[in-house]
Amino acid sequence: MKLASNTYKAWIDTPLGIAALVLLTAIVAYLVAANQMMLALSVAAAPLGVAFVLAVLGNPYFGFYALFFYTFIMFMPGRLLRADLPIGIGAEFLTVLVLMSALLRKKVQQQKIEGFLRQPVSIMLIIYSAYLLIEFFNPNMRSMAGLVFYYRKVLAFLLVYYIAYLLLDDLQKIVRFFKFWLIMSVLAGLYACKQQWFDFFPFEMRWLMSDPHKVRLYYQGGMFRKMSFLSDPAASGILLGYTAVIALVLSQFKPFAAYKRKLYFATIALLLGAIYSGTRTSYIVFAIGVVIYILMNFQRKRTLIFTGVSIFALAFILFGPINNAPINRVRTLMNGTNDASLKVRDENRELIRPYMLSHPMGGGLATNGVEGERFNPGHELAGFPTDSGYLKFALEAGWIGLVILCLLYFVMMQQCIHHYYQARNPTIKALYCAMAAALFAQIVAHYGQIAIGQMPGILFFFAIMAIIGRLKQFDDPSIAWEVEE
């Protein structure tokens, strides 16, 4: 912010700067008089935009957190204006801007690229990216526009991975990043609670009721599913579910004992938000994360007590004297294989299995589902309802791509668990355990739904990839982040 402030002050104090401001004011006044409010707001916001760009270039950490903040709230303007805004481009532009800012810093330029490339996760990401480039030659794909769309997203995620590796270069910064993520996620959970307890805002209800298909998707089980200020109930529920795992796991380790009450409050707020989303996958995400924590720490007396309390809480939710729509939605998990939607997904999977087996490189990127209808209309996979993230990737990138993706996830988990048991610093040990529980929960949930890929969760996922390799570099038991702060 200092760079932006100094630059603006030096520029405005000149006659040219004063004349430009007067001209800008006159243009805005004319547009308002002509009833061009959107254009007037855009012109008026231009100086703020320039200041923001200068601030990001002057401080990459500001830009890094601004990127995550933007992806949390970027869906709200579209609901307020009831317009389909190009919000994804803003995230990609900001990502590139942060990378430029990071590369301009002398400290970052001194970091060795060799260490980054030797990380096991980096090696797997390079293999994964190389395979996606080979998909360019897939003869089953019909649209260059679809390729550009897909590659643009993947490149942005890879840049987030590299940026996180560059900027989160000590333990204090990594802990601060987790704090920021927890705060933003808790705000999302509390906003979902507000939507449940006090209903949607009028502009949200107008946005929701404007599309009959959206109404059918959101109104299930006698309640409207809550999406908070995120993209949709599914993305909201899954994000809140695995973040609740992170908060709960951290609360069980001594380095975070001073924050135990805040972490418990965060867990409750996140869980309520996940329940109100009506996304059954989010309940599975939380349960799996808790189980992984228990398995990784079963030798501790604290874990045995935690296990007993968790079983009692689960039994009360499933069989307790509570009768309301959100809890009844949770109890539908007991239907198991008798669930109608699960049967439909299994039938679709069996229907498309021959295609997947006969196309080792898949049908091509951006050929399945809604993206397929947009970029590859008429393709065999266009519009096919996959639901499963693994099935979608297998259909587009083939079973070869699916094997590479599973190996990437395996390496992430292996590194997390290995470094957890090797870690000497208790703070690092706690973070590895929290990441392992949250990552495994997402990886499993990706089978039944596209649990990895929605904003802002996908950015957090790639940032976690970078942190897995970074944390072990600071494993000194004599260093505690609480002392540094």
Side-chain angles (χ1 to χ4, degrees):
M1 293 299 290
K2 185 177 180 180
L3 173 64
S5 176
N6 292 341
T7 303
Y8 257 52
K9 184 177 179 180
W11 183 79
I12 289 175
D13 285 342
T14 65
L16 180 61
I18 296 173
L21 287 177
V22 172
L23 178 61
L24 181 67
T25 304
I27 293 174
V28 171
Y30 172 79
L31 291 174
V32 171
N35 202 27
Q36 298 290 330
M37 295 300 298
M38 289 300 298
L39 188 56
L41 289 174
S42 300
V43 173
L48 296 177
V50 174
F52 177 78
V53 169
L54 291 174
V56 173
L57 291 175
N59 187 345
Y61 292 97
F62 169 74
F64 183 69
Y65 287 107
L67 171 62
F68 277 84
F69 178 81
Y70 171 77
T71 55
F72 264 96
I73 57 94
M74 66 184 189
F75 303 98
M76 291 299 284
R79 292 170 192 162
L80 185 61
L81 301 173
R82 283 188 288 177
D84 188 12
L85 304 176
I87 52 179
I89 296 177
E92 293 164 4
F93 171 76
L94 189 51
T95 301
V96 173
L97 201 61
V98 176
L99 177 65
M100 291 173 56
S101 178
L103 294 177
L104 288 172
R105 287 173 62 89
K106 184 178 180 181
K107 180 180 180 181
V108 169
Q109 291 173 345
Q110 292 173 345
Q111 298 198 39
K112 296 182 179 180
I113 191 68
E114 293 83 2
F116 169 75
L117 294 177
R118 281 199 297 265
Q119 298 297 327
V121 175
S122 294
I123 294 172
M124 282 307 306
L125 270 178
I126 291 171
I127 296 173
Y128 171 81
S129 303
Y131 180 77
L132 291 183
L133 289 177
I134 295 174
E135 278 288 323
F136 178 85
F137 303 99
N138 191 328
N140 300 306
M141 191 166 41
R142 306 172 184 175
S143 169
M144 286 298 297
L147 266 180
V148 172
F149 171 80
Y150 196 96
Y151 285 146
R152 196 180 70 194
K153 289 198 305 180
V154 172
L155 178 60
F157 301 151
L158 293 175
L159 290 181
V160 169
Y161 171 72
Y162 183 57
I163 291 168
Y165 186 88
L166 291 178
L167 297 184
L168 302 180
D169 55 357
D170 64 44
L171 182 56
Q172 183 181 9
K173 291 173 184 175
I174 291 174
V175 173
R176 186 181 296 121
F177 173 70
F178 273 93
K179 282 184 177 181
F180 173 82
W181 181 263
L182 284 170
I183 289 171
M184 291 302 302
S185 299
V186 168
L187 290 176
L190 292 174
Y191 192 82
C193 291
K194 177 268 164 196
Q195 290 175 329
Q196 176 70 22
W197 299 337
F198 305 105
D199 210 349
F200 294 109
F201 282 119
F203 75 89
E204 292 173 321
M205 186 58 72
R206 286 194 298 268
W207 169 80
L208 184 59
M209 301 303 291
S210 64
D211 185 353
H213 173 71
K214 197 176 295 179
V215 174
R216 290 192 299 269
L217 181 65
Y218 281 52
Y219 189 80
Q220 295 182 12
M223 61 172 278
F224 273 109
R225 301 169 62 192
K226 308 306 184 293
M227 67 289 187
S228 185
F229 42 71
L230 301 175
S231 61
D232 57 77
S236 174
I238 292 170
L239 183 149
L240 298 177
Y242 68 72
T243 306
V245 171
I246 293 174
L248 186 60
V249 170
L250 291 180
S251 70
Q252 302 304 303
F253 286 85
K254 288 184 178 179
F256 296 90
Y259 298 90
K260 181 171 290 189
R261 291 184 180 180
K262 293 180 180 179
L263 289 170
Y264 282 153
F265 171 79
T267 303
I268 294 172
L270 293 164
L271 269 181
L272 286 175
I275 291 173
Y276 295 149
S277 74
T279 305
R280 286 174 291 189
T281 304
S282 67
Y283 319 146
I284 298 174
V285 162
F286 181 76
I288 291 174
V290 170
V291 169
I292 291 299
Y293 163 75
I294 292 173
L295 292 176
M296 291 177 67
N297 298 273
F298 202 72
Q299 74 282 3
R300 301 170 62 195
K301 183 184 297 185
R302 180 193 298 267
T303 305
L304 297 178
I305 299 173
F306 176 85
T307 303
V309 173
S310 300
I311 293 174
F312 176 79
L314 178 62
F316 181 78
I317 291 174
L318 295 179
F319 306 106
I322 305 175
N323 184 24
N324 60 44
I327 296 299
N328 291 338
R329 180 78 174 172
V330 176
R331 289 169 178 168
T332 60
L333 289 174
M334 299 178 65
N335 293 336
T337 56
N338 295 322
D339 184 76
S341 63
L342 182 61
K343 289 182 178 180
V344 172
R345 296 179 186 184
D346 289 338
E347 291 172 359
N348 289 336
R349 191 177 294 112
E350 291 300 322
L351 179 66
I352 205 67
R353 187 189 299 273
Y355 183 92
M356 181 179 66
L357 296 176
S358 61
H359 293 74
M361 291 187 64
L365 304 179
T367 57
N368 179 238
V370 177
E371 294 173 357
E373 292 179 329
R374 177 183 174 186
F375 296 110
N376 291 274
H379 195 283
E380 299 95 319
L381 300 178
F384 183 81
T386 53
D387 292 314
S388 168
Y390 295 115
L391 179 58
K392 177 177 172 60
F393 191 74
L395 291 177
E396 293 189 347
W399 56 263
I400 297 176
L402 179 62
V403 170
I404 294 174
L405 182 68
C406 290
L407 285 174
L408 170 62
Y409 291 164
F410 170 79
V411 169
M412 292 172 62
M413 285 302 303
Q414 183 273 335
Q415 289 290 294
C416 259
I417 295 173
H418 172 74
H419 293 312
Y420 168 74
Y421 287 111
Q422 295 293 321
R424 298 169 297 165
N425 186 303
T427 302
I428 291 178
K429 201 174 187 70
L431 291 174
Y432 269 126
C433 186
M435 288 191 296
L439 284 175
F440 190 74
Q442 293 179 75
I443 290 169
V444 173
H446 204 49
Y447 174 80
Q449 199 161 345
I450 302 178
I452 304 171
Q454 300 290 333
M455 291 283 194
I458 186 64
L459 298 189
F460 183 68
F461 191 82
F462 274 83
I464 289 294
M465 286 188 187
I467 292 173
I468 290 173
R470 265 302 195 186
L471 262 181
K472 64 179 181 180
Q473 300 173 10
F474 318 123
D475 189 16
D476 184 345
S478 65
I479 299 175
W481 65 271
E482 294 91 345
V483 174
E484 294 182 8
E485 291 195 335

